[in-house]
Amino acid sequence: MKIQTLKQAESTQTNVITAETKLTIYKSCLSALMIAAISILVNLSIRLDYTVLGGDLGEASVTESLQLVMLFIASGTFFYLAKKQPQLKQAALLISGFFAVLAIREMDYWMDMIQHGFWIFPALTVTALACINAYKGGKNTVNQMATILSVPYMKLLIGSVMMLLVFSRLYGMGSFWQQVMGEHYVRDVKNISEEGLELLFYCLIALSALRTQREISKR
C-alpha cells in the first residue's frame, strides 16, 4: 500500500509545472528575445546608414555611434558595480577600465582632430589608473575577479570580447576581401560586414555586463 501511495505521489508531481520550471522557461525565452532584438538593431543601424541616410559607415554613422554607446554601457555597468559592491571594487574597475580603453580607441577619429594619435594618451592614463588600483588590491583582486567570472553571463561576455578582438579583426582584413572580390572589390561591402559584426559583439558585451551586474546584486 505504501509503495502504491508513493508511486501515485510521484505521478502527481510529474504532472505539475513547478515555479522553478516556469522561471527557467521564462528566462530562456527572455534571452532568446534579447538576442533577436539585438539582431534586429544591428540590421536596422546598417540599413539606416546606407539606405536612409545615404552615407557610409564613418565615425558619425548610426552604427559607429551605437558601438560607442554599447562600450559606454559595459564600462559604466562595471563602474557602477564597483561603487555598489565595494568588496569587488578593484576587479570591477579593472574590467570597467578595459572597456573604457576600447571606447577611447573607437573615438580615435575625433581625437585625431586634436593631434594625430592623441587617443593613446587618455587610453594609457585609464590603463595606468585601472592597473594601479588593481595592484593595490593585491591577491584580493584575483579573488574578486574570480567572483565576477563565476557569474554565468561572463562566459558570453568573454566569448564576445574574443570574437571582437580576434575574429572580427581577421575577418575584416582588406587583403582578404580584395582576394575574394578581385577586380570587383568594393570597400563598402567589407565595411558593412565588418562593422555589423563589431556592433553585434558590442551589443552582446553590453547585455552580458548588465546581466552580470544584476546577478551579482541579487546575490
Side-chain angles (χ1 to χ4, degrees), residues 148-163 208 212:
I148 295 175
L149 293 176
S150 68
V151 178
Y153 301 115
M154 285 299 293
K155 292 182 175 63
L156 176 59
L157 186 146
I158 293 172
S160 299
V161 168
M162 296 312 298
M163 286 190 289
S208 304
T212 296

Side-chain angles (χ1 to χ4, degrees), residues 98 100-127:
F98 171 76
V101 170
L102 288 183
I104 292 170
R105 179 66 182 87
E106 286 290 338
M107 293 189 293
D108 62 327
Y109 172 81
W110 304 106
M111 294 189 180
D112 280 348
M113 295 180 179
I114 302 174
Q115 180 182 342
H116 181 69
F118 182 79
W119 70 271
I120 194 69
F121 299 109
L124 287 175
T125 301
V126 173
T127 300

Side-chain angles (χ1 to χ4, degrees), residues 79-213:
F79 185 82
Y80 177 81
L81 180 64
K83 293 295 183 182
K84 293 296 181 179
Q85 305 289 338
Q87 72 276 14
L88 300 174
K89 183 178 180 179
Q90 280 75 28
L93 287 178
L94 187 62
I95 299 174
S96 175
F98 171 76
F99 289 120
V101 170
L102 288 183
I104 292 170
R105 179 66 182 87
E106 286 290 338
M107 293 189 293
D108 62 327
Y109 172 81
W110 304 106
M111 294 189 180
D112 280 348
M113 295 180 179
I114 302 174
Q115 180 182 342
H116 181 69
F118 182 79
W119 70 271
I120 194 69
F121 299 109
L124 287 175
T125 301
V126 173
T127 300
L129 290 173
C131 290
I132 291 172
N133 184 68
Y135 179 77
K136 288 180 179 179
K139 294 180 180 179
N140 191 42
T141 301
V142 179
N143 294 327
Q144 294 174 16
M145 187 64 73
T147 299
I148 295 175
L149 293 176
S150 68
V151 178
Y153 301 115
M154 285 299 293
K155 292 182 175 63
L156 176 59
L157 186 146
I158 293 172
S160 299
V161 168
M162 296 312 298
M163 286 190 289
L164 171 71
L165 298 179
V166 180
F167 177 77
S168 67
R169 294 295 180 265
L170 295 175
Y171 182 77
M173 291 178 65
S175 58
F176 166 71
W177 285 93
Q178 288 173 5
Q179 290 177 350
V180 171
M181 291 187 280
E183 62 181 9
H184 303 292
Y185 173 71
V186 179
R187 183 177 177 83
D188 282 351
V189 174
K190 179 192 85 72
N191 287 345
I192 290 173
S193 181
E194 181 184 9
E195 297 299 332
L197 277 176
E198 287 188 7
L199 178 56
L200 176 62
F201 297 147
Y202 284 134
C203 288
L204 292 175
I205 288 169
L207 174 63
S208 304
L210 288 170
R211 301 195 77 174
T212 296
Q213 187 274 327

